[in-house]
Every structure is written in C-alpha cells, then in structure tokens.
Amino acid sequence: MRYGALEGGGTKMVMAVADENLNILTRETIPTKTPAETMPAMIEFFQGQKIDALGIGCFGPLDLKPSSPAFGSIAKTPKLAWRDYPLMPEFQKALQVPCAIDTDVNAAALCELKLGAGKGLNNCVYVTVGTGIGGGVVCEGNLVHGLMHPEWGHILLAPHPDDPMPQGACPYHVSCLEGLASGPAMEKRWGVPGRELPPDHPAWKLEAHYLAQMCVAALMMVSTEKIILGGGVMSQKQLFPMIREEVLRMLGGYLHCVENADDLIVPPACWPDSGLLGSVLLAKMALEEKK
C-alpha cells in the first residue's frame, strides 16, 4: 500500500508518500499560493505516485460534517484565496482514491497518540503555539468533532495583571489565547519577535501563565491524559518547567491524580513530522473504511 499525505499550511504545502509501515518514501514542499496555482502541482505529485488513499491535515477552519454539502472544504479562513474552497472534493475528483481530511492539529494529535508522546494512552491534546494557536483532541481514541472542530486558540482567558496588552491582538476576540500568546501577539506586545527575547525576559512569565490557563482548561474539560505542546514558540525550552509549575499552582491540588506535571505536559515526540504522519494515518483510516 502507498499512502499519500498532505500537510496543508498557510505558507507551505508538504506532500508525502508512505508505505504500509508508515515509512516516508518521498516528500515535496511547495509554497501555498492561490488554489489555481497550488492545486495543479499537488494533484500532479500524487498522480505520479500511484497512491491508494490520501490523508489531508489542513489549516482551518474546515467543514468536517459528513452530512454537509461542503464537507471537506476550507471554511471562512483568513487566507482569503482559500475561503470556501472544496479541498478534499477536488482531490477526490482528480485522484479517484479514498480520501480523509481533518485539521492539521487534529492530524498531529492523532500521530502523537498512535506513534509519539501519547502512545499507549486513549486521550491527548495537541496544541501548536506559533503564528497562530490551534489544538487537536483525541478522546477515547477518536478525533473530536462536533459543531465544527476544537478551536483552542480562541478560548477566552483572564489577562495577567502585569500584561501591558491585556486585550490581546486577535481581530475577533478580546483576551483569547491566540490574541495573548501567539508569536505575533508577543511581537506586538514587546516590539520584537519572541526568538529575540532572552530567556529571563518577563515575556516568558506571561506566556507560561496563558498557556497554563489553557492546560488547566484541557484537564478540566476533557480530562486529557497528555498535553503536547509544539510549534515555534515552544522551541523556548524554558517554557515547559514554567508552564508545569504554573499549572500545579492553578490546580491548587484539586486533581488528586496530578501530583506533578513533568510527564503530563510534554513536547511532541514526532516533531517536525507530527502533522504529516498524522495525515498518513488519516489515509490509512480512509482506505480501511472503504474495505
């Protein structure tokens, strides 16, 4: 079997083919331009690889309701050229193979549960913290969908009293996670990108505070067994112990099963291929469903 995988991002599209053992055989990356510019190259790549199924992990929001006429389409994304674009239907029409689609972060969560930091568990939350903030949830082995799909980046938070920008930087919400803790939010607040700030800068205390609020929400709402934090901002490794300490402080001993957070809040084990391998798993699932 040959599984096609697409990790669709706002700046680049990563395409790959994997074998039945989930080994990546080949990959190619192209810039994300307009659908008219980008889709022909992606279709040509997969047509030349003779794949048996395709899994797509893509930026959102997505229409993931199977009963919807727009199932498999990108919805009201800020990437205007892709708004309302029927991504999966176009691949199905061109390739004539089973296809599956989910958010890029749901794909990454699936990968980490099956192959990485959450292996052996039934539940995990994967959150990427970078240009935006997105999160995927696997609960009892199943990717979580509902009205749409989880939107962790836009949960509302309590601003830190020392935050000079408590309203955040999100154009949609005041004081949401993405508006307070994303890379662009940090740059707007401090005037420079986070990567240029020293490890002892007060920015990281605020960042840990906001990400800890998100972690506590995940523990309380979905009772997850593992919180996996990836993305460019989380390359600042000093954040992990700060977040863990803040989570324990916020929990206040309420959860008797959480005595420390060292093994609870962790980096991804499959980075930087969590989303791509998750898309391979989606392709495998799509093929199995057709049998």
Side-chain angles (χ1 to χ4, degrees), residues 79-132:
K79 300 168 182 64
L80 297 181
W82 292 86
R83 181 168 287 188
D84 299 320
Y85 186 76
L87 184 63
M88 188 176 74
E90 287 296 314
F91 277 115
Q92 287 174 317
K93 182 169 63 176
L95 302 177
Q96 296 295 304
V97 298
C99 296
I101 188 170
D102 215 314
T103 63
D104 48 358
V105 282
N106 255 0
L110 180 64
C111 167
E112 290 294 333
L113 187 84
K114 299 294 186 182
L115 308 173
K119 190 174 181 179
L121 303 175
N122 289 320
N123 309 276
C124 78
V125 169
Y126 178 98
V127 177
T128 182
V129 187
T131 303

Side-chain angles (χ1 to χ4, degrees), residues 24-107:
I24 301 292
L25 303 175
T26 185
R27 73 172 72 199
E28 185 174 323
T29 301
I30 62 173
T32 302
K33 297 181 180 179
T34 66
E37 295 172 289
T38 309
M39 286 297 294
M42 294 195 293
I43 289 170
E44 182 180 4
F45 172 84
F46 288 118
Q47 284 177 331
Q49 295 295 330
K50 296 182 173 22
I51 59 173
D52 297 289
L54 175 66
I56 304 167
C58 185
F59 64 85
L62 303 174
D63 188 325
L64 298 179
K65 276 189 174 294
S67 60
S68 169
F71 174 57
S73 298
I74 299 172
K76 302 302 181 187
T77 175
K79 300 168 182 64
L80 297 181
W82 292 86
R83 181 168 287 188
D84 299 320
Y85 186 76
L87 184 63
M88 188 176 74
E90 287 296 314
F91 277 115
Q92 287 174 317
K93 182 169 63 176
L95 302 177
Q96 296 295 304
V97 298
C99 296
I101 188 170
D102 215 314
T103 63
D104 48 358
V105 282
N106 255 0

